[in-house]
Amino acid sequence: MDVAVIVGSETDKPIAEKTTKILDQLGLTYEVKVYSAHRNPRQLEEYIQKCEAKIFIAIAGLSAHLPGFIASRTDKPVIGVPVNVKLGGLDALLSIVQMPKGVPVACVGIDNGENAAWLAWRILKLKS
Amino acid sequence: MDVAVIVGSETDKPIAEKTTKILDQLGLTYEVKVYSAHRNPRQLEEYIQKCEAKIFIAIAGLSAHLPGFIASRTDKPVIGVPVNVKLGGLDALLSIVQMPKGVPVACVGIDNGENAAWLAWRILKLKS
Amino acid sequence: MDVAVIVGSETDKPIAEKTTKILDQLGLTYEVKVYSAHRNPRQLEEYIQKCEAKIFIAIAGLSAHLPGFIASRTDKPVIGVPVNVKLGGLDALLSIVQMPKGVPVACVGIDNGENAAWLAWRILKLKS
Amino acid sequence: MDVAVIVGSETDKPIAEKTTKILDQLGLTYEVKVYSAHRNPRQLEEYIQKCEAKIFIAIAGLSAHLPGFIASRTDKPVIGVPVNVKLGGLDALLSIVQMPKGVPVACVGIDNGENAAWLAWRILKLKS
Amino acid sequence: MDVAVIVGSETDKPIAEKTTKILDQLGLTYEVKVYSAHRNPRQLEEYIQKCEAKIFIAIAGLSAHLPGFIASRTDKPVIGVPVNVKLGGLDALLSIVQMPKGVPVACVGIDNGENAAWLAWRILKLKS
Amino acid sequence: MDVAVIVGSETDKPIAEKTTKILDQLGLTYEVKVYSAHRNPRQLEEYIQKCEAKIFIAIAGLSAHLPGFIASRTDKPVIGVPVNVKLGGLDALLSIVQMPKGVPVACVGIDNGENAAWLAWRILKLKS
Amino acid sequence: MDVAVIVGSETDKPIAEKTTKILDQLGLTYEVKVYSAHRNPRQLEEYIQKCEAKIFIAIAGLSAHLPGFIASRTDKPVIGVPVNVKLGGLDALLSIVQMPKGVPVACVGIDNGENAAWLAWRILKLKS
Amino acid sequence: MDVAVIVGSETDKPIAEKTTKILDQLGLTYEVKVYSAHRNPRQLEEYIQKCEAKIFIAIAGLSAHLPGFIASRTDKPVIGVPVNVKLGGLDALLSIVQMPKGVPVACVGIDNGENAAWLAWRILKLKS
């Protein structure tokens, strides 16, 4: 599997669909999971450990800790998509992009699920 | 022990000192620990599980996930203090306060370590 | 009574309903009152003095002084919920969270009435 | 007495001095008091009731509730000066200006103690 | 006449109606005029010079120069109401409130035409 | 004369020097004047009327009405330079750029006096 | 031809129509093209090189690089119009206006296609 | 070569040094180049075409178009680092992250050159 797409809550699924539409178009394999960094931390951690995807795409709004949570538990690239729930998505953008040194998240634009897929494709192309 | 004070990095310690100065003044017992939600998630999780403090005070800047991390692993009250590292602390404030439903953090003002101590005192007074 | 839920105006009641729905679910007792820190300061002050609730939840928009007003007249924990009326709720968030040293308010997310209830529950659990 | 100048804390006094320098220049009479809306609400309320000044100038930073507190306890004009303590003073500006309907505060610019004096002068000129 | 209410464009009239509704209720006399500081500067200047109102209320959005324009051409009190056209009204708020030293505008909340009327009433009460 | 450079106050002169340094380098003729849209509106208006420069560069901070004032009194191109005095210059930027329809100002970056000169040069090149 | 109007994507066309409506009214000649600085950089570059318009108007949202791209490849005046797609258009405004020294863009207000046309007219009048 | 590190101007070099310090530590090969997307677009384009690095790290402030420029001319992964020059770096952050669909940039935190290196390492590890 190429990409694991994780959304923080059911309400973020429309953004995930933007991502998977492009992943399909690019011929990348993926699965979509719903795990909250705050409500299901242990299941999420287990999933990250056993997941065989090469890249994680994490989609979340508000205090969007999901991408950073994943990045702190794997060495694989993690792409974060901030979702506009409040404040135009500024809260999610800052929560995702302003990570501490050593634990990077690759942040794309607010609600821009498509670019997460395109970025994954650029990364996976390198490998081939 | 009344309060566990956790800072996300050594550089946040001056804010923790504002907190402990008031805790001392109020006669509350505490310990101060440095754990990053991103760099030491497993040690942090172990600490939370075995910690006997009644309240957590978590102090962090940037993508300040520390308070939310703790709140997702304990039912005890968690107080978050956003630290100004970039953008006047707006990034840390939004990362701490905009938590999803069901996993609350009690956020106080930017760099306001003192109010975290005062809030802990109000909560502990209830108990007595 | 466990919790006094106070809204700054009738228009904030939908946020209070999010709070009371969770309080009901958690089996906490409460009453809901409408008092403006600006329009009924004296009645509000009297209410605070005689109120037997253990915790206050104060819900307000714009220049949201209600939580801070209560916190300056009681030693009990005060939880503030910023309501989005203008500017995405940024005005209410900053009015509630940036309290001066010594008079803390426990701020939760914008329009997040649910988390005020969950935070109250965490605090009250300590006592039992 | 023409104007009562009230600062929320000792640290706001440099802004009050900008105000009184202009009041002196304009020949207006005044006194300067330090009262916090949060730490001394009762003394502040007593002061407002007995104060014979025609106009209040209230100077405060952070969750700047002082001008609104005064405006809710008197029918006299209240001028608010937001002070830059954090976030460039945006928190204080929004706390002062976004008052609810019926309880107006006349807000001037961030740290602009001078304009509070000039505005008081314009108002008092009307009377003569 | 007590108050001259000036709007920067026809589209700001709904905010002016909030103002005049309160002025009517308070028994204050007024007239409403449409003048843009940018499109009709000379007519506006003439109006200001000959206007016998005691107070000006100026209502404008975007680069809201109208209140400042008036304040620079009269010594009477000028009340500014920022209107939300773009950016939640933050542009108008800052354009109105951040006036240079010596030329004050009394700014009230975004779209808060009511408070402009209430503030005018407080000022006019002094005179009587 | 090619360009009239107008600053809103003496304190904005360092930004004007950035502009004139480039104008000198480009061989454009200019004069520098200090006029406040708020404190000297009549002198400023007279200056605009009689000024023979082809382009105006207006440099101002805070409620930066100077460029818009000029644009409303001439048909010549007006370039605005927002100066950082408070809030990182966001107040001046929004005051300059968000002009109403029909009265355009050509806004350049915060404190970027150089680009005002470069833009003037591009415009004047067209003419030759 | 007087003006080349370039939009970054089909979705920005309604803003271009505001521009061309005024250009028609002013009797200026123009053509409208859709080129993305990011998706069609080479075609855009070729167009800029061969284009005989005297002024460019570039309309774009989000990371609005289009006006700056054009300004870096021509010495003609470039007018930028930020479009509100996310964050009220603040992202596009800052992307357009904060250009580095030596490569100026003349920025007008958010979604204000009309003012781009009016500014072009002021510039072209100089030439005649 | 693993990584090409490009800075928009000489003044951004201290941030590039944070990046190269980590690249050295991780044993990754790189070169550092100074090219402005606005001042040297053609040289930059030539460099991108002939560059054999697997990943680009682009570091820029203000209207930070550099990362997007590169991303529009290569299919390789591009990592963007916003630099704080004005407005706390918010302008650069939004210019970098809010890219249009199809042309992704992987944005890391403001001034966080280190995380660009760490992200490059995660991506390159995949390949091995």
Side-chain angles (χ1 to χ4, degrees), chain E residues 62 86-87, chain G residues 88 110-111:
Chain E
L62 302 168
K86 293 282 172 187
L87 294 171
Chain G
I110 296 170
D111 293 340

Side-chain angles (χ1 to χ4, degrees), chain H residues 33-53:
Chain H
K33 295 281 174 182
V34 182
Y35 288 114
S36 162
H38 296 113
R39 285 176 287 212
N40 329 100
R42 286 185 191 80
Q43 288 114 295
L44 175 54
E45 186 152 3
E46 277 170 39
Y47 176 74
I48 297 165
Q49 299 317 328
K50 67 166 207 261
C51 179
E52 299 191 347

Side-chain angles (χ1 to χ4, degrees), chain G residues 15-73:
Chain G
I15 305 299
E17 281 161 26
K18 295 180 174 194
T19 302
T20 56
K21 194 176 153 196
I22 303 295
L23 291 175
D24 281 333
Q25 187 181 316
L26 293 166
L28 298 179
T29 56
Y30 61 88
E31 66 183 11
V32 179
K33 295 283 174 180
V34 182
Y35 289 114
S36 161
H38 297 113
R39 284 176 288 214
N40 328 101
R42 286 185 192 79
Q43 288 115 294
L44 175 55
E45 186 152 1
E46 276 170 38
Y47 176 74
I48 297 166
Q49 299 317 328
K50 67 166 207 258
C51 179
E52 298 190 348
K54 299 179 191 83
I55 292 177
F56 290 90
I57 291 175
I59 299 169
L62 302 168
S63 291
H65 300 184
L66 184 63
F69 182 104
I70 300 172
S72 69
R73 283 162 185 79

Side-chain angles (χ1 to χ4, degrees), chain C residues 24-104:
Chain C
D24 281 333
Q25 186 181 318
L26 293 166
L28 297 178
T29 57
Y30 61 87
E31 66 182 10
V32 180
K33 294 284 175 179
V34 182
Y35 288 114
S36 161
H38 296 115
R39 284 177 287 214
N40 330 99
R42 287 187 190 78
Q43 290 114 296
L44 174 55
E45 186 151 3
E46 277 170 37
Y47 175 75
I48 296 165
Q49 299 317 329
K50 69 167 205 259
C51 178
E52 299 192 346
K54 299 179 192 85
I55 292 177
F56 290 91
I57 292 175
I59 298 169
L62 300 168
S63 292
H65 300 184
L66 184 64
F69 182 104
I70 300 172
S72 69
R73 284 161 184 81
T74 176
D75 282 348
K76 296 172 185 173
V78 179
I79 300 169
V81 185
V83 177
N84 175 9
V85 181
K86 293 283 172 187
L87 294 171
L90 188 67
D91 47 3
L93 170 58
L94 296 177
S95 294
I96 288 174
V97 82
Q98 290 287 74
M99 290 290 290
K101 293 169 191 174
V103 191

